Amino acid sequence: MTWKWFFKVIVDYWPMFLRGAGVTLLISIIGTVLGFAIGLIIGVIRTIPLSDNMVKRVILKIVNAILTVYVEVFRGTPMIVQAMVIYYGSLMLFNIDMDRMFAGVFIVSINTGAYMAEIVRGGIISIDKGQFEAAHAIGMNHIQTMLYVVLPQVIRNILPATGNEFVINIKDTSVLNVISVTELFFQTSSITGNVFRFFEPFLVACIIYLIMTLTVTRLLRWLEKKIDGPEHFNVIPGNQMQVARPEDLAKKAGQ
């Protein structure tokens, strides 16, 4: 490698690197947000207690079985395989020609949703059962208990894991090049075909990925600290009213 080639690649192809990084970030952000929403909904559903009503009980078991299959399939297979099966399979089986960008967001979202579902479920289970009992004791149903008591705590507790999923998605969008999504890896591969050199373009891509992941990590740590609040709180001053001591009252009475 020569530094001349390294800087030449940057100067000549920086618009392609920039477009690729932009697509990578866009897919990662949308996919993580949608995946978080999917995981939140599934996590809540999978923690609903079984009803005494036979019909509701059967329906809930069927829904839980379907959601379990979804979670296990998408957690147990690589995203690159999921991308191939969903994009090309939808065209062959259902004649649906998906836009590549939409397909990329869709694949990242449902993959993230499967992981987030288990993270959310674990977060809900970790909440003390006494809080559920106290909420039910004052008349709250399961949904109200989740919205007002449990989920605010769960979201804070799983924030680091959610941030980790975001960082993983930034890196894993590179597998979407198999369906020709023009993310950073795809753009870098195109550049190597133009310059007939591999090391310098992919070194630039590596640096860009590192900058994106480190920036996201720092922002999420800052957000965690903001949510936690200041480490030291000002002590509320006590009552400043002066109360007379008994001995002072006695002296005053003797005068």
Side-chain angles (χ1 to χ4, degrees):
M1 176 193 125
T2 61
W3 287 110
K4 177 183 176 181
W5 267 104
F6 178 76
F7 289 112
K8 180 177 173 56
V9 167
I10 296 176
V11 171
D12 291 348
Y13 296 99
W14 69 265
M16 293 182 67
F17 284 118
L18 192 61
R19 283 196 299 271
V23 171
T24 292
L25 276 178
L26 182 63
I27 293 176
S28 301
I29 292 171
I30 298 175
T32 303
V33 171
L34 293 179
F36 177 80
I38 293 169
L40 202 62
I41 294 170
I42 293 175
V44 170
I45 293 174
R46 295 184 72 190
T47 56
I48 295 176
L50 292 175
S51 173
D52 294 331
N53 184 294
M54 183 59 66
V55 176
K56 292 182 179 179
R57 191 184 187 91
V58 171
I59 292 173
L60 184 59
K61 283 188 175 183
I62 293 172
V63 171
N64 280 333
I66 294 171
L67 294 178
T68 300
V69 171
Y70 157 71
V71 170
E72 294 302 327
V73 167
F74 282 93
R75 290 178 73 241
T77 56
M79 190 189 291
I80 190 170
V81 177
Q82 296 167 15
M84 298 288 282
V85 170
I86 291 173
Y87 182 74
Y88 294 109
S90 62
L91 181 60
M92 292 181 62
L93 299 177
F94 307 107
N95 200 29
I96 299 174
D97 188 10
M98 285 192 288
D99 177 78
R100 287 183 172 84
M101 187 72 174
F102 172 81
V105 171
F106 179 73
I107 291 161
V108 173
S109 299
I110 58 177
N111 181 273
T112 303
Y115 285 94
M116 288 305 305
E118 286 299 288
I119 292 172
V120 171
R121 190 174 71 88
I124 293 173
I125 293 174
S126 68
I127 301 298
D128 187 78
K129 291 183 179 180
Q131 297 194 34
F132 289 90
E133 294 171 358
H136 294 157
I138 62 175
M140 286 187 177
N141 57 33
H142 183 74
I143 300 299
Q144 290 173 326
T145 303
M146 286 293 170
L147 288 176
Y148 302 115
V149 179
V150 178
L151 288 184
Q153 301 176 68
V154 169
I155 291 173
R156 170 59 191 91
N157 292 341
I158 68 172
L159 188 59
T162 306
N164 187 52
E165 281 297 314
F166 186 18
V167 171
I168 290 172
N169 284 340
I170 290 175
K171 296 180 292 183
D172 283 358
T173 51
S174 59
V175 306
L176 299 176
N177 78 92
V178 297
I179 58 172
S180 301
V181 176
T182 56
E183 40 70 52
L184 182 56
F185 184 91
F186 183 90
Q187 296 282 18
T188 306
S189 298
S190 300
I191 293 169
T192 61
N194 293 334
V195 299
F196 300 104
R197 296 178 73 92
F198 287 86
F199 182 71
E200 292 86 358
F202 278 104
L203 179 59
V204 175
C206 181
I207 293 171
I208 294 173
Y209 276 118
L210 188 61
I211 291 171
M212 288 192 293
T213 55
L214 288 177
T215 302
V216 168
T217 302
R218 296 296 181 273
L219 287 174
L220 288 169
R221 287 179 182 173
W222 173 82
L223 180 60
E224 289 176 30
K225 289 181 180 179
K226 292 293 288 184
I227 292 176
D228 288 340
E231 295 181 1
H232 304 288
F233 292 90
N234 292 328
V235 179
I236 299 175
N239 192 341
Q240 299 299 318
M241 183 179 63
Q242 298 296 323
V243 179
R245 294 177 298 175
E247 54 268 28
D248 293 335
L249 293 174
K251 288 181 180 179
K252 187 174 181 180
Q255 293 176 357

